[in-house]
Amino acid sequence: MTYFEGKHEAGIFGCELEGERLTTYPRSTGYGSLQIWIKYIQKGILFQQTFTPSNRCSKSKWKGSAFKIGGGYVWSDVLQEAASRDVIVVGGGTPSVGCLGGWMQGGGHGPAVHDLGLGADQVLEAQVVLSDGRIVTASPCQNHELFFAIRGGGGGTYGVVISTTVKAHPTTTIAAQQLSFAPLNSSYMPEFMKAVEVIHNAYPDLSDQGFSGYGSWGLMSPTPLVYNYNYTLGEETQANFTTGFTHTIAVFGKTSQEAEAIFAPVATNLAPFSSKSLFINTTYTSFPTYAAYYSALSGIQPPVGSSAALGSRLLDRKALTSPQLGETLKQVVGSPEQFTSVNIVFVGGGQVARDVADEFSGVNPAWRTAYVHNIVARGWAPGSDEATRNAVYSDITNVKTQALKELAPDTGSYMNE
């Protein structure tokens, strides 16, 4: 039996599920909403060598391995189990993200998404608590409309998901590239912006050849964006750069030499900037397994507790190769004193595009044509007044995100970011 109790004004609630109490809290966003914390309902992470539907569903096409995630686990818990069995589970790039909530139910991106599909599209079946207290199975054969809805239709909207069974894929070798560049001084900002445009232009073709990953760039970041360990200009060693671009991208099942060959045309386009106007650093690293790659170059816990406004847009090939891209990038990053952060989620294409054929996927259809999920954010100093905060929100919404919308009018946004 499930019950709720509490005081609405104070935001204090109680809930019990199968004899176990859930902790619930009001949210800082989402007026009138209720957050249910299932962290301490944990029934185990169970591996199936060959997936067997709990209801003998004949509509499930998955013949590989699977994990049943029974409760409030985070991805570090599941990825550890997957690594011990030499398989890959599609999880978040941040290991503390929960497995069952908004990440999965909103779509779910991570380092393996390009090759294996979005997090929502990994779900084979789920147990869901409905508003009337019933616990039901959602699958292609049972409650199929609910199954469709929770696989990308929005976190916490249709019920409380208390377990999922997700695909497990064979591990593979990974070749990764780390690229960073920065203007040698402020007079080279036009060259820097052109190099950022060159990289964005290249992303669709790089994706079609297997690359995917994450990056960020900005002007006058409060902390360094590009780190310089060896570069020397004349007799003076350059400091770390607060204006710069960096990305880490990888290709599954390739060697470092093969990855470098794929990127060679882009490197050729960047070569005229090297040493003359930009500091450019590129490294390639091979990993024997996905787990080794994730541990070394992803799986990082970012800092928390900052205040910011953000907007986003999914960018397709038309947008990324548009003649207007350069001007849009300038509008998005704004002026140095705005301290704008631009994050590149380069995980589209590949299996994300191919999963358009999944009739039970509820994710935004724009994911099927997008190559990049572009996020733009600005913060404000602690103690800033309401007018300052509102000005930042207005800039993010009406200038920066609007510019991305005009660049990619036929796509949409990722609801989670």
Side-chain angles (χ1 to χ4, degrees):
M1 171 175 286
T2 304
Y3 78 93
F4 293 89
E5 62 183 18
K7 297 180 180 179
H8 176 73
E9 295 82 6
I12 302 171
F13 296 84
C15 174
E16 185 169 347
L17 176 65
E18 294 182 341
E20 299 189 43
R21 293 188 69 83
L22 285 74
T23 306
T24 63
Y25 298 101
R27 297 191 61 175
S28 59
T29 59
Y31 180 78
S33 65
L34 174 68
Q35 178 176 332
I36 300 177
W37 197 26
I38 64 169
K39 167 70 175 177
Y40 296 108
I41 294 183
Q42 297 185 348
K43 302 292 187 180
I45 303 168
L46 306 178
F47 180 66
Q48 298 180 16
Q49 188 65 48
T50 302
F51 169 62
T52 303
S54 63
N55 53 10
R56 300 183 183 276
C57 178
S58 60
K59 295 182 180 179
S60 176
K61 301 175 183 179
W62 183 248
K63 305 301 182 184
S65 301
F67 279 98
K68 181 176 182 179
I69 306 170
Y73 295 96
V74 296
W75 280 116
S76 59
D77 300 323
V78 179
L79 293 172
Q80 183 177 356
E81 293 291 328
S84 70
R85 293 172 172 82
D86 280 335
V87 296
I88 305 171
V89 172
V90 175
T94 301
S96 61
V97 171
C99 303
L100 306 185
W103 181 87
M104 176 275 290
Q105 294 176 53
H109 66 74
V113 159
H114 170 272
D115 287 82
L116 304 178
L118 288 164
D121 296 333
Q122 306 301 306
V123 179
L124 299 166
E125 61 182 41
Q127 283 190 304
V128 185
V129 182
L130 304 182
S131 58
D132 62 6
R134 289 183 297 136
I135 301 175
V136 301
T137 297
S139 74
C141 294
Q142 291 180 282
N143 302 293
H144 62 86
E145 291 182 344
L146 177 62
F147 184 61
F148 169 87
I150 64 171
R151 297 173 83 234
T157 305
Y158 309 99
V160 180
V161 178
I162 57 173
S163 79
T164 59
T165 302
V166 299
K167 300 173 183 177
H169 308 261
T171 195
T172 184
T173 57
I174 308 283
Q177 181 215 61
Q178 293 172 278
L179 168 70
S180 59
F181 57 81
L184 295 178
N185 59 55
S186 59
S187 68
Y188 294 116
M189 285 304 300
E191 288 84 355
F192 171 71
M193 291 302 301
K194 183 60 181 178
V196 174
E197 182 182 357
V198 166
I199 290 294
H200 281 73
N201 286 160
Y203 277 145
D205 286 344
L206 289 174
S207 173
D208 289 349
Q209 295 178 84
F211 269 114
S212 65
Y214 290 81
S216 63
W217 66 284
L219 312 180
M220 295 300 292
S221 169
T223 57
L225 285 170
V226 174
Y227 292 89
N228 160 33
Y229 300 103
N230 301 310
Y231 184 76
T232 302
L233 181 63
E235 296 181 356
E236 181 181 356
T237 299
Q238 301 298 292
N240 297 329
F241 299 92
T242 56
T243 292
F245 173 99
T246 182
H247 78 198
T248 298
I249 60 177
V251 58
F252 283 35
K254 300 287 187 181
T255 65
S256 292
Q257 292 75 19
E258 289 171 322
E260 189 170 0
I262 293 171
F263 195 80
V266 187
T268 298
N269 290 335
L270 290 174
F273 303 112
S274 181
S275 299
K276 298 178 181 179
S277 54
L278 304 181
F279 163 71
I280 301 177
N281 186 54
T282 310
T283 61
Y284 291 88
T285 310
S286 295
F287 298 93
T289 63
Y290 175 78
Y293 161 67
Y294 185 91
S295 177
L297 297 181
S298 187
I300 300 170
Q301 182 62 49
V304 298
S306 59
S307 298
L310 63 85
S312 71
R313 195 73 178 175
L314 293 164
L315 305 181
D316 56 10
R317 176 180 286 273
K318 181 180 177 182
L320 290 166
T321 58
S322 168
Q324 300 302 315
L325 176 65
E327 288 303 312
T328 299
L329 294 174
K330 293 176 186 177
Q331 287 180 278
V332 168
V333 77
S335 58
E337 61 269 17
Q338 290 182 329
F339 302 114
T340 303
S341 173
V342 186
N343 292 302
I344 302 164
V345 181
F346 171 48
V347 298
Q351 192 61 41
V352 176
R354 290 190 290 272
D355 279 337
V356 68
D358 187 343
E359 63 180 304
F360 296 107
S361 178
V363 302
N364 185 341
W367 270 109
R368 306 309 180 189
T369 58
Y371 287 93
V372 167
H373 163 42
N374 192 96
I375 307 169
V376 57
R378 284 184 59 195
W380 49 81
S384 295
D385 58 25
E386 184 177 3
T388 299
R389 298 194 302 270
N390 286 342
V392 173
Y393 277 113
S394 178
D395 178 57
I396 289 292
T397 303
N398 301 317
V399 179
K400 300 182 188 307
T401 306
Q402 180 62 29
L404 291 170
K405 184 176 181 180
E406 291 171 2
L407 179 70
D410 301 324
T411 61
S413 297
Y414 178 42
M415 67 174 68
N416 283 350
E417 296 162 340

